[in-house]
Amino acid sequence: MSLLFSIPFQFLAVAAETEAADSSLVLAGILLSLVVVYFASKLGGELCVRLNLPPVLGELVGGVVVGTSVLSLLVFSESGATADNSLIIKFLELTSSLTPDTAESVFIAQSEVISALSELGVIILLFEIGLESDLKELIRVGPKAAVVAVVGVVTPFVLGTLGLVYLFHVPLIPSIFAGAALTATSIGITAKVLAEIGRLSSQEGQIIIGAAVLDDVLGIIVLAVVSSLVKTGEIQISKVIFLIISAAAFTIGAIVLGRFLGPILVRLMDNMQTRGKVLLVSLIFAFILSYIAQVIQLEAILGSFAAGLVLAETSKQAELEEQIIPVADLFVPLFFVCVGAQTDLSVLNPAIPENRAGLAIAAFLIVVAIFGKVVTGFAVFGKEQLNRLAIGVGMIPRGEVGLVFAGVGAASGALDPATQTAIIMMVIITTFLAPPLLRVVFEKDQPSVTLAENPQEPSS
Amino acid sequence: MSLLFSIPFQFLAVAAETEAADSSLVLAGILLSLVVVYFASKLGGELCVRLNLPPVLGELVGGVVVGTSVLSLLVFSESGATADNSLIIKFLELTSSLTPDTAESVFIAQSEVISALSELGVIILLFEIGLESDLKELIRVGPKAAVVAVVGVVTPFVLGTLGLVYLFHVPLIPSIFAGAALTATSIGITAKVLAEIGRLSSQEGQIIIGAAVLDDVLGIIVLAVVSSLVKTGEIQISKVIFLIISAAAFTIGAIVLGRFLGPILVRLMDNMQTRGKVLLVSLIFAFILSYIAQVIQLEAILGSFAAGLVLAETSKQAELEEQIIPVADLFVPLFFVCVGAQTDLSVLNPAIPENRAGLAIAAFLIVVAIFGKVVTGFAVFGKEQLNRLAIGVGMIPRGEVGLVFAGVGAASGALDPATQTAIIMMVIITTFLAPPLLRVVFEKDQPSVTLAENPQEPSS
């Protein structure tokens, strides 16, 4: 009949339909995997919070610990692992009726479902980032933020790409990918660090937040462009222009169309009476845009980000943001833990000669990542008293988007394991360094212009 | 490397690894399926609300419309459907790079993921029901509610099972399954109807709610027992007793252990500082109990229900219930829409001779379902002025748990399509009938004892 439920399939197994027997065990495997993912994400997150580091870092490190590098609890058939590599499958064999015969099919199905949940996780993450972004805020903090954002995207991208090509003789496509991964500041990490040191509403803080918002948008476009380049396997200027136009047209089209659709969706929600109307109407919109973005060769995440931006402009933003938080809490850790779980840290072992190139690349990327953002503050025009160093340092932490690049790059085969791990090292190091560095550069002087302290605690 | 992301796989496809190309299209198929599920659930739900019927009914009917009976948008490989039967796959072929060669593997993967999400949906639904249940409330409204609950479980179960065996010559196991499906009153539907007619806090209303809460617990135990019977394929009294004891021991064990664990979990949450701490710690607990219930041959849903009951007793209940609502809004419609989508209404077409048995069974089940609950009010001891008819009528609406039985039964092969559809017809008809009937029987007299009107609007 159907696979909807688990128990029946033990019955069907009795009825000698062996393949159906898996479903009950697949569900058990999924439940165990979810327990491992959530345990790793919370343990890592809590440890990082106590070390005054962003929780997202802990989720990533937690993923590394439960993943292929250490415990092998969470491994993926798509990464070439088999049931024999999975400690969860071994545990299932011990505790349930799973036999070695059926282990492989259970492993593949469970691995497929967790991967799909992780993909939905990054779609929902970008929806939430879109919902928390504010084009108007960017316009208000104005041209200064734009200069910081553009310089902070172009400098590390150009230096990183050229450096990898000419200093490390890395092929062009992985170099572009790694360069692109250097571009996007983590708005969540940045805002949280600024709030922790009480500078969120200083002029520097406002410029940093504005630039980080624009950075997010630029990062998405860069990711879409670079991903599309990876798809074609070569760089054609006409193709690049086409992709930039198509990415921009999609985003602008979605937002312009959204200006009309937004009020219609709000009116629809207001006329509805069932539970979950705001959340589900919004997600229908987000999933349709994600689907369109996906089939026109862009990224599904660009669609959900655009949907978030559109809905951020409506009167439902606050209600929706409140409702998306538990949903994101549930889905997003799957993404970060799975990214960590697939990181093979053994490529960074300096005892193995061929790994030294990876460490050198990591060191280079970290230097470029820091330098490329620190210069942004000094690029700001005007003669105002600004703590320009603080602006640059505030842009240092990379985060979600950098990890997205690492994951997409690794998944596409565009990045070799050493470069992928170097990017993740770069994300980890910049994120580690930013909080103490920001404290130092802000302590050097008093706030130049202090606006009313914003009491709202940003979510990471 | 991995399947985590979608775009890379078009790249890998370029690299001639055809099977990897699917992932991007699987994601597109999942996004389309989710759009269809949410659209069907909201359209059906809103129509039902306007007809003064519970939204859950609309989700089920919406599922029927998009499912195998009508539009064939949502069909499942596990039900024997192929890519050719799926309108979503046809649509993907039109709009994306999907070819007939790869369609089957994309269809199977997408169908597997939607099934898994639907299974997680019923686990989360039962977690939420557990969280909204209150053992203390049941104890307070006391023995009257217990009499109503027990009589209301035993009468329709015995009459239904015996009637099917002796009048319709249905085999014993499907008869027991159908009889069991008649037992559980829908607490959500009942509470909502009582609130709508302003009798939630009347003495009759309190008895109905108390009995419906106990009904939920009994229904879960009956479901676990019956499901386990289906697994063994025969009825052994020792096995039944063992299962009742093991179901009771699991539930009681989880609750007793929960009394100790509850405060420990609360202290753990209080010491945590990351986002989603209450939700994720609770879900880790729920998924561990679900896993244990699943591997000791009970139901995963019994585990999540027990976890919900345990957490309902803690100080985090209100916070957790608030956070579980958006999560349930996201997952639970998947369950109801998928149940509807798998309902083959063509078995009820009276033009086909062999279908008439199904209609006769449906008529019989509906009569037993109504009679078996109406008598409960008259079973209440004491000489108080009670509107005994109203109590019985208030117990009539079946709902979630009845549909769970229909789904589990169909999935297990224990129920033939006619009997399954008869059960769903019974759920639909009792739910349709209850609101108007309740109005009639309560209008016949004034409230016997009216407590302070409870202003809280229960969620369905």
Side-chain angles (χ1 to χ4, degrees):
Chain A
M1 295 281 140
S2 88
L3 263 188
L4 262 190
F5 302 89
S6 45
I7 277 190
F9 294 90
Q10 300 195 349
F11 174 74
L12 287 185
V14 171
E17 299 188 24
T18 49
E19 69 181 48
D22 296 349
S23 174
S24 160
L25 299 168
V26 170
L27 180 59
I30 291 168
L31 290 170
L32 270 186
S33 303
L34 291 176
V35 168
V36 167
V37 166
Y38 292 142
F39 191 78
S41 86
K42 285 290 105 181
L43 194 64
E46 290 294 325
L47 284 175
C48 275
V49 165
R50 275 156 186 75
L51 298 170
N52 215 9
L53 296 166
V56 62
L57 197 64
E59 301 190 354
L60 185 71
V61 174
V64 170
V65 172
V66 297
T68 185
S69 288
V70 188
L71 295 179
S72 287
L73 280 161
L74 208 63
V75 296
F76 294 88
S77 62
E78 302 90 339
S79 317
T82 65
D84 286 341
N85 302 127
S86 165
L87 219 61
I88 279 183
I89 295 293
K90 294 242 181 301
F91 187 75
L92 267 182
E93 284 181 353
L94 274 177
T95 57
S96 75
S97 56
L98 186 68
T99 61
D101 289 344
T102 53
E104 194 62 34
S105 62
V106 168
F107 171 65
I108 290 171
Q110 167 251 354
S111 159
E112 210 160 43
V113 170
I114 298 295
S115 288
L117 289 176
S118 156
E119 289 183 71
L120 289 176
V122 69
I123 288 173
I124 286 165
L125 171 66
L126 272 281
F127 179 70
E128 194 189 8
I129 291 179
L131 204 58
E132 287 171 3
S133 297
D134 187 353
L135 285 173
K136 283 179 198 142
E137 184 182 327
L138 186 71
I139 291 163
R140 188 170 56 77
V141 297
K144 286 192 182 68
V147 169
V148 170
V150 171
V151 172
V153 165
V154 171
T155 315
F157 177 68
V158 171
L159 289 183
T161 303
L162 293 182
L164 287 179
V165 169
Y166 291 106
L167 299 179
F168 293 90
H169 309 295
V170 175
L172 190 56
I173 284 185
S175 297
I176 288 175
F177 227 108
L182 296 170
T183 57
T185 296
S186 164
I187 180 169
I189 292 168
T190 297
K192 187 152 197 184
V193 170
L194 286 170
E196 281 168 3
I197 61 172
R199 300 291 178 122
L200 194 60
S201 39
S202 69
Q203 200 184 342
E204 289 86 354
Q206 288 294 298
I207 291 174
I208 293 170
I209 293 295
V213 168
L214 184 52
D215 240 28
D216 256 0
V217 178
L218 291 178
I220 296 293
I221 292 174
V222 170
L223 177 58
V225 170
V226 171
S227 296
S228 300
L229 287 179
V230 168
K231 280 184 220 170
T232 68
E234 56 182 8
I235 299 183
Q236 300 164 293
I237 296 300
S238 63
K239 186 91 185 166
V240 173
I241 292 168
F242 171 79
L243 282 169
I244 290 173
I245 290 171
S246 109
F250 176 80
T251 313
I252 294 167
I255 290 165
V256 170
L257 189 69
R259 293 229 164 230
F260 295 96
L261 270 181
I264 293 171
L265 291 176
V266 168
R267 220 171 306 135
L268 183 65
M269 293 169 190
D270 284 337
N271 282 314
M272 287 169 68
Q273 299 164 34
T274 52
R275 237 181 80 165
K277 56 188 183 180
V278 171
L279 182 65
L280 289 193
V281 169
S282 303
L283 285 182
I284 288 174
F285 179 56
F287 289 160
I288 288 175
L289 286 191
S290 298
Y291 171 78
I292 293 172
Q294 180 86 346
V295 295
I296 66 169
Q297 311 275 325
L298 294 175
E299 275 280 357
I301 52 175
L302 192 59
S304 62
F305 180 71
L309 274 181
V310 165
L311 291 164
E313 307 274 296
T314 69
S315 57
K316 298 289 179 190
Q317 193 271 345
E319 188 179 349
L320 184 56
E321 189 169 345
E322 197 185 331
Q323 292 186 16
I324 204 74
I325 286 174
V327 172
D329 288 345
L330 193 75
F331 276 97
V332 177
L334 277 154
F335 174 71
F336 288 117
V337 171
C338 287
V339 167
Q342 289 174 86
T343 306
D344 188 359
L345 285 189
S346 66
V347 294
L348 284 190
N349 181 356
I352 303 168
E354 57 260 39
N355 286 345
R356 286 171 201 154
L359 283 181
I361 291 174
F364 171 74
L365 288 183
I366 290 163
V367 170
V368 171
I370 294 170
F371 175 78
K373 292 295 184 184
V374 167
V375 295
T376 60
F378 299 97
V380 176
F381 47 84
K383 290 179 183 168
E384 290 158 76
Q385 277 296 320
L386 278 174
N387 189 333
R388 289 160 193 274
L389 184 60
I391 292 175
V393 171
M395 299 295 289
I396 286 179
R398 309 304 200 275
E400 300 83 27
V401 183
L403 295 176
V404 170
F405 274 89
V408 171
S412 71
L415 292 175
D416 59 290
T419 313
Q420 185 209 6
T421 314
I423 291 173
I424 294 180
M425 288 291 288
M426 178 277 293
V427 171
I428 292 174
I429 299 288
T430 56
T431 308
F432 268 70
L433 274 180
L437 277 185
L438 259 177
R439 275 201 187 84
V440 171
V441 293
F442 264 120
E443 265 164 20
K444 278 183 7 186
D445 68 357
Q446 291 301 100
S448 54
V449 179
T450 305
L451 311 174
E453 195 62 28
N454 189 343
Q456 117 196 16
E457 171 80 10
S459 62
S460 64
Chain B
M1 295 281 140
S2 86
L3 262 189
L4 261 190
F5 302 89
S6 45
I7 279 190
F9 293 90
Q10 300 194 348
F11 174 74
L12 287 185
V14 172
E17 298 188 25
T18 49
E19 70 180 49
D22 295 351
S23 174
S24 160
L25 299 168
V26 170
L27 180 59
I30 291 168
L31 290 170
L32 270 186
S33 304
L34 291 176
V35 169
V36 166
V37 167
Y38 292 143
F39 191 77
S41 85
K42 284 291 106 179
L43 194 63
E46 290 294 326
L47 284 175
C48 276
V49 165
R50 276 157 186 73
L51 298 170
N52 214 11
L53 296 166
V56 63
L57 197 64
E59 300 190 354
L60 185 72
V61 174
V64 170
V65 172
V66 297
T68 186
S69 288
V70 187
L71 295 178
S72 288
L73 280 161
L74 207 64
V75 296
F76 294 88
S77 62
E78 302 90 339
S79 318
T82 65
D84 286 340
N85 301 127
S86 165
L87 218 60
I88 279 183
I89 295 294
K90 295 245 182 298
F91 187 74
L92 268 181
E93 284 181 352
L94 274 178
T95 56
S96 77
S97 56
L98 185 68
T99 61
D101 289 344
T102 53
E104 194 62 34
S105 62
V106 168
F107 172 65
I108 290 170
Q110 166 252 354
S111 160
E112 212 160 42
V113 170
I114 299 294
S115 288
L117 289 175
S118 156
E119 288 183 71
L120 289 176
V122 67
I123 288 172
I124 286 166
L125 171 66
L126 272 283
F127 179 68
E128 194 189 8
I129 291 179
L131 204 59
E132 288 171 4
S133 297
D134 187 354
L135 286 172
K136 284 179 197 142
E137 183 181 327
L138 186 70
I139 291 162
R140 187 171 57 78
V141 299
K144 287 191 182 67
V147 169
V148 170
V150 171
V151 172
V153 165
V154 171
T155 315
F157 177 69
V158 171
L159 289 183
T161 304
L162 294 182
L164 288 180
V165 169
Y166 290 106
L167 300 181
F168 293 90
H169 309 295
V170 175
L172 190 56
I173 284 186
S175 297
I176 288 174
F177 227 108
L182 295 171
T183 57
T185 296
S186 164
I187 180 170
I189 291 167
T190 297
K192 187 152 197 184
V193 170
L194 286 171
E196 280 168 1
I197 61 171
R199 300 291 179 123
L200 194 62
S201 40
S202 69
Q203 199 183 341
E204 289 87 353
Q206 288 294 296
I207 291 174
I208 293 170
I209 293 295
V213 169
L214 184 53
D215 240 30
D216 256 0
V217 178
L218 290 179
I220 296 292
I221 293 174
V222 170
L223 177 58
V225 170
V226 171
S227 296
S228 300
L229 287 180
V230 168
K231 281 185 222 170
T232 67
E234 56 181 8
I235 299 184
Q236 300 165 293
I237 296 300
S238 63
K239 186 91 184 167
V240 173
I241 292 168
F242 171 79
L243 282 169
I244 290 173
I245 291 171
S246 108
F250 176 81
T251 312
I252 294 167
I255 290 166
V256 171
L257 189 69
R259 294 227 163 232
F260 296 97
L261 270 180
I264 293 171
L265 291 177
V266 168
R267 219 172 306 134
L268 183 64
M269 292 170 191
D270 285 337
N271 283 315
M272 287 170 68
Q273 297 164 35
T274 51
R275 236 182 80 165
K277 57 188 183 180
V278 171
L279 183 65
L280 289 192
V281 169
S282 303
L283 285 182
I284 289 174
F285 179 56
F287 290 161
I288 289 175
L289 287 191
S290 297
Y291 171 78
I292 294 172
Q294 180 85 347
V295 296
I296 65 168
Q297 310 276 327
L298 294 175
E299 276 280 356
I301 52 175
L302 192 59
S304 62
F305 180 72
L309 274 180
V310 165
L311 291 163
E313 308 273 297
T314 70
S315 58
K316 297 290 179 190
Q317 193 270 346
E319 188 179 350
L320 184 55
E321 189 169 346
E322 197 185 332
Q323 292 185 17
I324 204 72
I325 285 175
V327 172
D329 289 344
L330 193 75
F331 276 98
V332 177
L334 278 154
F335 174 71
F336 288 117
V337 171
C338 288
V339 167
Q342 289 173 86
T343 306
D344 188 357
L345 285 188
S346 66
V347 294
L348 284 191
N349 180 356
I352 303 167
E354 56 260 39
N355 286 346
R356 286 173 200 154
L359 283 181
I361 291 174
F364 171 75
L365 289 182
I366 289 163
V367 169
V368 171
I370 294 172
F371 175 78
K373 291 295 184 183
V374 167
V375 296
T376 59
F378 299 98
V380 176
F381 46 83
K383 289 180 185 169
E384 292 160 76
Q385 277 296 319
L386 277 174
N387 188 335
R388 290 160 192 274
L389 183 61
I391 292 175
V393 170
M395 299 295 288
I396 286 179
R398 309 303 200 274
E400 301 83 27
V401 183
L403 295 177
V404 169
F405 273 88
V408 171
S412 71
L415 292 176
D416 59 290
T419 313
Q420 183 209 7
T421 314
I423 292 173
I424 294 180
M425 287 291 288
M426 178 277 293
V427 170
I428 292 174
I429 299 288
T430 55
T431 308
F432 267 71
L433 273 180
L437 276 185
L438 260 177
R439 277 201 186 84
V440 172
V441 295
F442 265 120
E443 264 164 22
K444 278 185 5 189
D445 68 358
Q446 291 302 99
S448 53
V449 180
T450 305
L451 312 174
E453 195 61 27
N454 189 342
Q456 116 196 16
E457 171 82 10
S459 63
S460 65

